[in-house]
Amino acid sequence: MRVFIAGATGAIGRPLVRQLREAGHEVVGMTRSEQRAASLRELGAEAVIADALDAGPVRAAVEAARPDVVVNQLTDLARPLNPRKYAEWLEGTNRLRVEGTRNLADGAQAVGASKFISQSIAFAYTFEPGVKTEDSPRLGAEVGEMATAVNELERSTLAAPGGIVLRYGFFYGPGTGYARDGQQTELIRKRQSPIVGGGNGVFPFIHVEDAASATVAAIERGAPGVYNVVDEDPAPAREWIPYMAELVGAKKPRRVPKFVAKLFAGSLVAMATQLQPVSNAKARRELGWTPRYASWREGFRAELG
């Protein structure tokens, strides 16, 4: 199978390229720089250079590649996150979610690709108590541009032939904020990632290698629709933050009241205190996929211990 990947040099893009090549697929990776294109060629992929926001070159790149499947892994999260400016930090990614997805979907449809697969997020469900499945209500425009952009990405993807949305959990592993040298890890080392309130927010995590293997499964045998790609052990903040601190040799994390946290973390406080568990049952059942790291506990230990 011939697979076109936009965002092929990102945290999930690189393991995805490698896994697809190991499975015998042809891969064409799209990136914005010659330096990154060279890294794709080292992985055995073809490389094209184009800006995902520029519709003409994107369509030309897809048409030249003639792929069977187009995969959208576009993000723009390289800058350090300032919790007080979370919405500003997401602006580039939100634009890619809307305009970049639309450009890729148009290209996929133009070449008659059998599937169009896009990266979405498993932490945009509403905060009502209960385990979240793919049919659970999603956050809307009331929480800002992030939800609007994610909802538009999913709409454009599912409207395309063979449209598949993969709602990934929080990535950890190489190239992520939760890597040994990642920003989130450094904040925990400095005791700048506190437990807010009771630490009741339940985080859905997924190792980038497991996210990539789920994507390979979707490419090879996924039916159109939405799939949560998370591990099998929902992670309360009051548990994963101290566990990670212990692994990296940091002091126990501080605890701060919600009203104090809102002064420096704004909207992120809601996630830290209200996120609900997310189920991966559909992906396991319908994609025949099982994560190597069933729990973030063993995955964190493998990466950081």
Side-chain angles (χ1 to χ4, degrees), residues 21 32 51 55 58 65 81 119 148 152 162 179 182 215 220 227 264 271 294 298-299 302:
R21 293 293 296 132
R32 289 186 293 182
D51 185 337
V58 169
L81 168 62
Q119 172 186 150
T148 302
E152 177 61 18
T215 309
E220 293 180 338
Y227 302 86
F264 61 83
M271 286 198 292
E298 58 186 286

Side-chain angles (χ1 to χ4, degrees), residues 25-238:
H25 299 291
E26 298 178 19
V27 179
V28 181
M30 188 180 87
T31 187
R32 289 186 293 182
S33 73
E34 178 55 43
Q35 181 180 6
R36 291 184 176 184
S39 71
L40 287 173
R41 297 185 189 104
E42 291 174 359
L43 292 172
E46 300 173 37
V48 295
I49 299 174
D51 185 337
L53 298 175
D54 199 337
V58 169
R59 179 159 178 164
V62 176
E63 289 180 343
R66 307 299 299 179
D68 302 296
V69 178
V70 175
V71 181
N72 169 19
Q73 298 287 0
L74 295 171
T75 59
D76 181 16
L77 302 174
R79 292 178 297 117
L81 168 62
N82 180 342
R84 294 180 179 177
K85 298 182 178 180
Y86 183 60
E88 181 180 317
W89 181 69
L90 281 176
E91 285 177 355
T93 293
N94 286 337
R95 189 177 176 197
L96 287 170
R97 284 169 173 158
V98 176
E99 298 176 36
T101 301
R102 185 186 307 130
N103 293 339
L104 289 167
D106 289 346
Q109 190 158 1
V111 299
S114 62
K115 292 180 182 178
F116 178 54
I117 301 174
S118 287
Q119 172 186 150
S120 187
I121 55 177
F123 40 94
Y125 292 104
T126 57
F127 298 140
E128 285 81 7
V131 176
K132 304 303 179 181
T133 70
E134 290 79 358
D135 296 325
S136 298
R138 300 284 278 172
L139 293 171
E142 71 276 4
V143 297
E145 186 60 29
M146 179 194 76
T148 302
V150 167
N151 292 339
E152 177 61 18
L153 173 147
E154 295 195 357
R155 186 202 64 77
S156 296
T157 300
L158 295 173
I164 294 176
V165 168
L166 299 178
R167 293 175 178 165
Y168 301 111
F170 290 97
F171 290 146
Y172 70 95
T176 74
Y178 298 90
R180 183 172 294 277
D181 59 350
Q183 183 190 6
Q184 295 302 319
T185 306
E186 187 61 22
L187 289 175
I188 284 177
R189 285 194 180 101
K190 295 178 178 178
R191 301 187 77 201
Q192 294 176 358
S193 184
I195 297 171
V196 179
N200 295 324
V202 182
F203 285 60
F205 281 111
I206 189 71
H207 193 286
V208 287
E209 291 286 347
D210 286 330
S213 69
T215 309
V216 173
I219 290 167
E220 293 180 338
R221 54 188 177 270
V226 180
Y227 302 86
N228 289 328
V229 178
V230 301
D231 73 16
E232 298 171 24
D233 186 15
R238 63 179 178 273

